[in-house]
Amino acid sequence: MVLRRHRTPMDKYLKTADTDWYKQRITGVIICALAAFVVLFIRLIYLQVIMGDEYRRLSLNNSIRLQSIDPPRGRLYDRNGDLLVDNRPSFDVNITLKDAEPLKPTLEKLALHLQTPADALLSQIKRTPGVSAYSPLLLQQDVGRNTLASIEVNKFDLPGVSVDVNLRRHYLRERQAAHLIGYLSEISLTELKSGSYPDCRSGDLIGKFGAEKVYENLLRGKRGGRQIEVNANGLVVRILKTVEAKPGHNVYLTIDQNLQQRTEVLLDGVVGAAVAVEPASGKILALASSPSFDQNSFVGGITREQWASLISNPFRPMSNRAIQGEYPPGSTYKVITALAGLQEGVIDDRSIIHCPGHYRFGNRIYRCWKKGGHGNVDIVKAVEESCDVFFYQVGQRLGVDRLAWYAKAFGLGSPTGVRLDHEANGLIPTAAWKKRRTGVPWQEGETLSIAIGQGFNLATPIQMAIIAAAVANGGHRYQPLILENIKTVDGQLLQKNEPKLIGKLPVSPAHLELVKLGLWKVVHGENGTARGSRLSDIDISGKTGTSQVISRKENESMAEEDMPAHLRSHAWFIAFAPSEKPAIAVAVVVEHGEHGSGAAAPIAKEMIKRFLRKPTVHTQVATQDEKNNTGGDG
């Protein structure tokens, strides 16, 4: 017989309590599990959906990289197709920070090969703004072949370090045409932000000066790129895809390389400038400023010491004197005074003015450069012998404002329009200009100084070259051009520059021929001021000039050679040749050269000789040019 215990109400309660406790535990576990799954699910959504593109990019960058391919920059040639500026290979050392970890030991090893302190390399990395860990960072340009071999042999000990072969600008003839051609330098942050260089990035080289800057968009080309696969050390495993860079166009300048080179040799050792122009078109045949500078020093990044040396040089080699140098034009201005006097009728071909060596005006005596005077002078003799007294009186009859009107019509007082930066205006004074500037009325005696190219007058060598060209070609004033044409790398002509007529001299052909006769006699006349610059086989027409740096009123008794060098007069000469059918017009200025006939005219003579006596043409010429009897100089 089995005895059963009777269930009491307490037993029933205890059983119910146990069941509820287990249910609560299970529910809690389930809630925790669900919460964990929800968190994981949200995290997966965040990683795969929200951050998916970013992590996919990071994942790809661990093995696949994009490399930029710089385009070959277009070359520069002269008008005859002679190469002036080329590109040469440059071995550049780069580092990719992601692959170079740990960075410090890698830099210490690399420093031994580059012979540069590791701290300097680290500082260079820190100075580079916005550097990407996956993009190559340039550490050193144009390393030698020994350094290249050393890095390549030890590249497995230098993770993230690579040597790329890039094209580097190379100026074939050191200092030649530096102020015309210009140079390249690294793009600045301001230039990057300007929007003018949309295809450029930090570290790129762009034209900063001269033709390199003016034709930057044509020369630069279009960047390419390649997609590569790399291993854990950053070494290239294979190239996946390549988009080739498009090379820049080739630019042909108007200059003649042989003439340019000869001009710079002639200017070596002096401070000054020379410009040669083709009279029939305004094309620049040569443009030189002395002293010059080496453009190649800018390509790799000029040092602070080099830059300080350039800007502290008292002779200002970075200044382009051909277009920025402003000088009193001296007696070369008498061409304008003569033509203005003839055109306005204050003189004619029969007018005679007596020159006793001085001219009294008011209470002052204005002296002629020739103490004994020139005697009776007509317009042709006045130009030939540069008689100051003749032009004092012509200027007095014209007045300053009429003289200024003609000077401006000849192109003085405003830029010529040549496509080079920072061209100076020069200065042509008027009565109103002086009143505005000084508050003092114009004095009639000042007109006499203006008439012979002194006083407030200022002109640039390129302005005077264009005037010489305009007189040579019969009165047509062309805008000076430096661009001949543009071609693709395959030789296809894209653009040909045509002459641009910007004005006509407001003088009659008869008056122009009369003055041109005087200019011919300057060189070929018995008493011409540049008779020492004759050539036996080429007729040259020209005008000498001496522009005073200081007033000689208080120092009239002091000889020029007794003055300190920096106070001596500037020497000018403008010319064209051959006289009958001009093919070249020239303007030369030599700072503190004293006399145009002795310092500037011989340079112009040699320029003309080099251009017209082509080296490839074997012509019979006299064995000796006529004796160099240096004449006087107005």
Side-chain angles (χ1 to χ4, degrees), residues 17-39:
D18 289 341
T19 303
D20 292 341
W21 181 81
Y22 282 115
K23 287 181 178 180
Q24 290 174 1
R25 292 288 299 272
I26 292 172
T27 301
V29 171
I30 292 173
I31 291 173
C32 289
L34 288 174
F37 278 114
V38 169
V39 171

Side-chain angles (χ1 to χ4, degrees), residues 214-506:
V214 173
Y215 303 110
E216 169 67 24
N217 291 334
L218 294 167
L219 291 165
R220 186 170 64 241
K222 189 173 182 180
R223 190 187 306 276
R226 65 171 62 93
Q227 190 179 48
I228 61 172
E229 183 179 347
V230 298
N231 61 18
N233 291 322
L235 300 177
V236 177
V237 176
R238 57 175 175 152
I239 298 174
L240 301 176
K241 186 178 181 181
T242 300
V243 177
E244 297 294 343
K246 294 182 179 179
H249 300 310
N250 293 331
V251 171
Y252 289 73
L253 301 177
T254 59
I255 63 172
D256 182 291
Q257 189 273 134
N258 286 319
L259 176 61
Q260 180 73 32
Q261 186 177 33
R262 179 60 175 156
T263 301
E264 293 183 354
V265 169
L266 293 165
L267 287 175
D268 187 35
V270 304
V271 179
V275 179
V277 178
E278 187 176 72
S281 65
K283 293 178 180 179
I284 301 293
L285 301 173
L287 187 147
S289 177
S290 178
S292 189
F293 60 93
D294 182 11
Q295 309 104 296
N296 286 311
S297 63
F298 286 86
V299 178
I302 192 169
T303 65
R304 291 185 179 181
E305 292 75 16
Q306 288 174 316
W307 180 247
S309 175
L310 284 172
I311 62 175
S312 63
N313 189 322
F315 298 117
R316 299 176 290 116
M318 296 300 294
S319 175
N320 186 355
R321 287 175 167 80
I323 67 169
Q324 295 173 325
E326 297 176 294
Y327 311 89
S331 292
T332 60
Y333 186 91
K334 290 175 182 175
V335 173
I336 298 173
T337 305
L339 287 168
L342 290 167
Q343 194 67 23
E344 291 295 304
V346 301
I347 56 169
D348 58 30
D349 59 341
R350 297 181 301 277
S351 298
I352 300 293
I353 294 177
H354 182 71
C355 170
H358 63 274
Y359 178 62
R360 180 179 292 277
F361 183 78
N363 60 358
R364 180 180 171 185
I365 294 178
Y366 292 81
R367 301 191 180 279
C368 186
W369 71 265
K370 188 175 182 180
K371 291 183 179 180
H374 294 91
N376 292 331
V377 180
D378 62 7
I379 182 63
V380 173
K381 184 177 179 180
V383 173
E384 175 190 355
E385 300 185 27
S386 198
C387 176
D388 292 330
V389 169
F390 184 95
F391 289 102
Y392 286 148
Q393 296 189 47
V394 175
Q396 179 189 352
R397 298 173 190 178
L398 284 167
V400 62
D401 289 334
R402 275 202 290 183
L403 261 177
W405 186 88
Y406 277 91
K408 291 177 180 178
F410 275 68
L412 297 184
S414 59
T416 63
V418 64
R419 287 202 67 185
L420 293 171
D421 284 346
H422 311 301
E423 184 185 3
N425 293 324
L427 176 62
I428 295 300
T430 63
W433 169 86
K434 186 189 175 188
K435 183 68 174 177
R436 286 195 309 270
R437 181 174 178 178
T438 67
V440 178
W442 186 266
Q443 305 298 312
E444 286 190 40
E446 293 174 312
T447 306
L448 274 64
S449 294
I450 295 299
I452 63 168
Q454 296 292 159
F456 298 109
N457 279 328
L458 292 174
T460 65
I462 195 169
Q463 288 174 336
M464 298 309 298
I466 293 301
I467 287 175
V471 172
N473 68 31
H476 298 91
R477 190 159 58 89
Y478 289 97
Q479 178 180 326
L481 303 176
I482 63 171
L483 176 67
E484 183 74 29
N485 56 58
I486 301 166
K487 295 181 180 179
T488 66
V489 291
D490 299 326
Q492 180 183 354
L493 182 65
L494 294 178
Q495 178 184 333
K496 182 175 176 61
N497 220 3
E498 298 296 338
K500 183 178 180 181
L501 185 66
I502 56 175
K504 200 172 186 306
L505 302 186

Side-chain angles (χ1 to χ4, degrees), residues 197-214:
Y197 305 92
D199 196 35
C200 288
R201 58 188 66 179
S202 180
D204 284 354
L205 300 180
I206 62 170
K208 292 293 186 87
F209 192 68
E212 290 274 31
K213 179 180 180 181
V214 173

